[in-house]
């Protein structure tokens, strides 16, 4: 161990912490790896082993304490993109054949869909714009 400088061992530790980061996708391993790189810098600057360990712990804990809550908040606020029929909910369509509680046809997103009115007493005439509130099978429910 005397043949290899301490900073090299810290870099080996950082690389070793990078492996579970990639395999498990747990960002905490990356934060520990950054702490090990910081300790390698401390070792290269000539600090003793106690200082190197303190730098490793301080940087790792600081990253976990600061970055983790920010990442959690960011992932919780990420908008969810609708796809498939869920993306059609809330869209406007044009009535092609009279739509009432029992059926009809609309043009929705460039395609012809069967449709029925959400309110069974309501009727929508040809050319009228309607809003899609739900999709049941291949039928759009409109208001």
């Amino acid at each position: 161990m005397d043949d290899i400088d301490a900073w090299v061992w810290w870099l080996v530790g950082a690389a070793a912490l990078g492996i579970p980061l990639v395999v498990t996708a747990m960002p905490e391993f990356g934060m520990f790896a950054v702490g090990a790189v910081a300790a390698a810098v401390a070792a290269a600057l000539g600090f003793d082993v106690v200082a190197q360990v303190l730098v490793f712990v301080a940087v790792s804990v600081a990253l976990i304490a600061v970055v983790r809550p920010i990442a959690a908040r960011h992932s919780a606020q990420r908008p969810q993109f609708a796809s498939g029929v869920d993306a059609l909910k809330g869209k406007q369509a044009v009535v092609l054949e009279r739509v009432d509680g029992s059926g009809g046809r609309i043009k929705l997103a460039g395609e012809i869909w069967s449709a029925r009115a959400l309110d069974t007493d309501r009727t929508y005439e040809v050319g009228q714009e309607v809003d899609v509130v739900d999709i049941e099978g291949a039928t759009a429910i409109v208001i």
Side-chain angles (χ1 to χ4, degrees):
M1 184 157 169
D2 291 335
D3 296 355
I4 300 177
D5 292 329
W7 66 269
V8 174
W9 286 111
W10 282 110
L11 290 180
V12 168
L17 287 166
I19 293 169
L21 167 67
V22 172
V23 172
T24 65
M26 290 180 60
E28 291 82 1
F29 285 109
M31 295 174 207
F32 288 133
V34 171
V37 170
V41 170
L45 293 174
F47 287 94
D48 66 351
V49 173
V50 173
Q52 295 169 31
V53 171
L54 287 175
V55 166
F56 170 74
V57 170
V59 170
S60 298
V61 168
L63 284 172
I64 288 174
V66 172
V67 174
R68 217 169 155 218
I70 292 170
R73 197 168 43 247
H74 177 69
S75 68
Q77 293 176 351
R78 186 175 21 182
Q80 299 296 323
F81 294 104
S83 62
V85 294
D86 289 330
L88 298 174
K89 294 177 186 175
K91 298 282 185 189
Q92 285 194 330
V94 177
V95 176
L96 297 178
E97 293 176 11
R98 182 180 174 191
V99 176
D100 55 24
S102 60
R105 296 221 179 265
I106 59 170
K107 187 166 190 172
L108 172 62
E111 298 179 349
I112 298 174
W113 282 73
S114 55
R116 68 176 169 80
L118 178 64
D119 180 2
T120 55
D121 296 333
R122 185 75 197 252
T123 302
Y124 302 97
E125 298 300 330
V126 174
Q128 195 172 353
E129 287 192 353
V130 292
D131 293 319
V132 177
V133 293
D134 200 8
I135 304 285
E136 291 180 359
T139 303
I141 310 303
V142 300
I143 57 171

